[in-house]
Amino acid sequence: MSTVSANPTPAPSSEAGEVSALGEMLKTRNPAAWISLGLLIAVVVWFGWETIWRQLGMFSWTRKEDWGHSYIVPLVSVYFIWMHRKLFQAVPMRRFWPGTMLVVLGVMTYFYFHTMFSNHMFAGGALILIVAGLTLTLFGPRAFALAFFPIAFLGLGVTVAEAVMIQITFKLQNIAAIGANIMLNTVGVETRLQGNVLYPVNPFTNEDMEPLNVAQACSGMRMVIAFVALSVAVAFLSCREWWQRIAVVMLGVPVAIFMNVVRVAVLGIVSIWKPELAQGDAHMLIGMVLLVPAFFLFMGCVWVLKNMVREPAEAVS
C-alpha cells in the first residue's frame, strides 16, 4: 500500500525558471543577466556620451546652483531599485523583442536632436527613451513596469531648454515680486512695486533704498526644479498610498515658490544695512542658506500627510 506525502514537492514550471533568472542576477553571478545589464549600460554610455558629458561636465558643473541636483538624480534611481530589490528578484526576466521599437524611436529622435536640430533637452529625453527601450527588450515587460519610475525620474536631471525656462521664469518673477512686496510691507518696510522692480524705503531714515530688480536669477526656477525632483523622490521612496504621493509631488512647487518669496523679502531687509548683500555672491549665498528651512518646511508637510491616516493595527489571532 502506497502512501502520499503530506508535503508534495511541486513540479517545476517554466515560470519558476524565469523567476530565478533576474533573481539570481541580484543574488549570485548569473552571467547572462549581468551581461544584459552591462550591455545596457555600455550601449547607453557609448551612444550618448557627448550628451551625458554636456549635462554632467558642462551644465551641472558650471551652473551648480541651477543643475547641481543632476548628480543626485541617478543615485536616487539606483537607490529606488536597491530598495525594491526583492520585488526585482521575484520578477521573471525574458527577452521582449517588440521593445526594440522603443529603442529605434529613441535612436532616431536622438540623432535628430543631436545632429540635425541641436537641442540638449530633447536629446537627453531621447537617451532616456533608449534606456527604457533596452530595459523592456532585455528584461521584459514585468521588470520594465517596476523600473519605470527610476527610468522616468532621470528626466528631472536633464537641463531644460532656455526658451522653456524663460517662459516659466517670467511668470515666477511676477509671483516672487508681488509676494515679496506684500511681505516687505507687512513687516514694516514700505515698498513700491513697479513691474518686477521693488523700491523699498529705509524705515530708519525714510530714504529710498537701492531698488531690487527681481531678475531671472530670483524667479525661483532653480528652486522649483530642485523641489520637484525632491518631492517626486520623497513621494516614491517614503509614501505608500498613491494619494499621498500625488499630494507630496504637488507640494513641491508651492513650497519652492513660497520660499523664493521669502528669499526676495530677506534680500530687501538685509539691504537696509548693507545694499551689497543683495548682489553678487552674497545674493547667491543667502539663496542657498534659505534652502535649508525650505527643505524642513517641505519635509514637515510630508510628515503631516503621512500621519493624516494611520493604518489599522493588525488583528490579534
Side-chain angles (χ1 to χ4, degrees), residues 164-180 196 214-225 228 252-254 256-258 260-261 263-264:
V164 178
M165 286 185 64
I166 291 174
Q167 293 297 320
I168 299 175
T169 55
F170 178 75
K171 296 177 182 179
L172 294 179
Q173 274 181 283
N174 294 332
I175 296 174
I178 294 171
N196 285 329
V214 185
Q216 288 186 3
C218 291
S219 65
M221 185 61 188
R222 67 171 64 92
M223 198 175 287
V224 168
I225 293 177
V228 167
V253 174
I257 292 176
F258 172 74
N260 189 64
V261 169
R263 177 173 65 167
V264 177

Side-chain angles (χ1 to χ4, degrees), residues 5-308:
S5 173
N7 298 303
T9 303
S13 62
S14 59
E15 181 73 10
E18 291 171 348
V19 168
S20 64
L22 187 56
E24 289 302 315
M25 181 193 77
L26 300 175
K27 291 178 181 179
T28 60
R29 298 180 180 178
N30 186 314
W34 280 110
I35 288 174
S36 297
L37 182 62
L39 179 65
L40 187 156
I41 296 173
V43 168
V44 172
V45 172
W46 173 79
F47 186 75
W49 172 250
E50 187 172 345
T51 298
I52 295 172
W53 168 250
R54 287 185 66 192
Q55 180 61 59
L56 300 180
M58 293 176 59
F59 294 117
S60 298
W61 183 255
T62 59
R63 295 161 58 186
K64 298 183 184 69
E65 67 280 5
D66 293 324
W67 304 106
H69 67 277
S70 297
Y71 295 112
I72 309 298
V73 167
L75 300 180
V76 173
S77 294
V78 172
Y79 179 72
F80 180 87
I81 295 174
W82 173 256
M83 193 173 153
H84 296 85
R85 60 190 180 280
K86 291 184 179 179
L87 292 177
F88 282 95
Q89 289 172 3
V91 169
M93 185 187 74
R94 62 175 67 176
R95 299 291 184 268
F96 186 73
W97 298 115
T100 55
M101 291 187 292
L102 271 183
V103 179
V104 172
L105 177 62
V107 170
M108 293 174 61
T109 305
Y110 182 80
F111 267 117
Y112 179 76
F113 288 109
H114 184 65
T115 57
M116 299 178 64
F117 183 78
S118 181
N119 186 295
H120 176 78
M121 182 177 71
F122 288 118
L127 206 57
I128 295 172
L129 184 61
I130 294 172
V131 173
L134 287 173
T135 302
L136 180 60
T137 303
L138 297 174
F139 297 101
R142 291 178 63 182
F144 173 75
L146 282 177
F148 179 80
F149 167 73
I151 293 174
F153 187 72
L154 295 174
L156 292 174
V158 178
T159 296
V160 178
E162 191 66 22
V164 178
M165 286 185 64
I166 291 174
Q167 293 297 320
I168 299 175
T169 55
F170 178 75
K171 296 177 182 179
L172 294 179
Q173 274 181 283
N174 294 332
I175 296 174
I178 294 171
N181 179 54
I182 295 173
M183 188 171 292
L184 284 170
N185 281 284
T186 301
V187 298
V189 180
E190 183 183 346
T191 307
R192 303 188 317 275
L193 176 63
Q194 293 182 5
N196 285 329
V197 181
L198 296 169
Y199 294 89
V201 177
N202 193 312
F204 302 109
T205 63
N206 289 326
E207 296 179 354
D208 290 338
M209 297 164 49
E210 193 72 22
L212 292 172
N213 186 6
V214 185
Q216 288 186 3
C218 291
S219 65
M221 185 61 188
R222 67 171 64 92
M223 198 175 287
V224 168
I225 293 177
F227 267 85
V228 167
L230 173 65
S231 62
V232 173
V234 171
F236 281 84
L237 291 176
S238 64
C239 298
R240 295 183 179 180
E241 301 293 336
W242 273 100
W243 71 267
Q244 291 176 330
R245 291 178 175 177
I246 294 172
V248 169
V249 172
M250 292 179 65
L251 271 174
V253 174
V255 168
I257 292 176
F258 172 74
M259 290 308 302
N260 189 64
V261 169
V262 173
R263 177 173 65 167
V264 177
V266 169
L267 290 173
I269 293 173
V270 298
S271 63
I272 294 175
W273 291 275
K274 288 189 176 182
E276 60 271 17
L277 291 179
Q279 302 174 358
D281 293 338
H283 163 277
M284 191 66 63
L285 177 61
I286 292 174
M288 296 299 292
V289 169
L290 285 176
L291 284 176
V292 177
F295 173 77
F296 284 108
L297 173 63
F298 175 74
M299 294 306 296
C301 294
V302 171
W303 182 87
V304 171
L305 280 172
K306 291 181 66 176
N307 287 273
M308 285 177 64

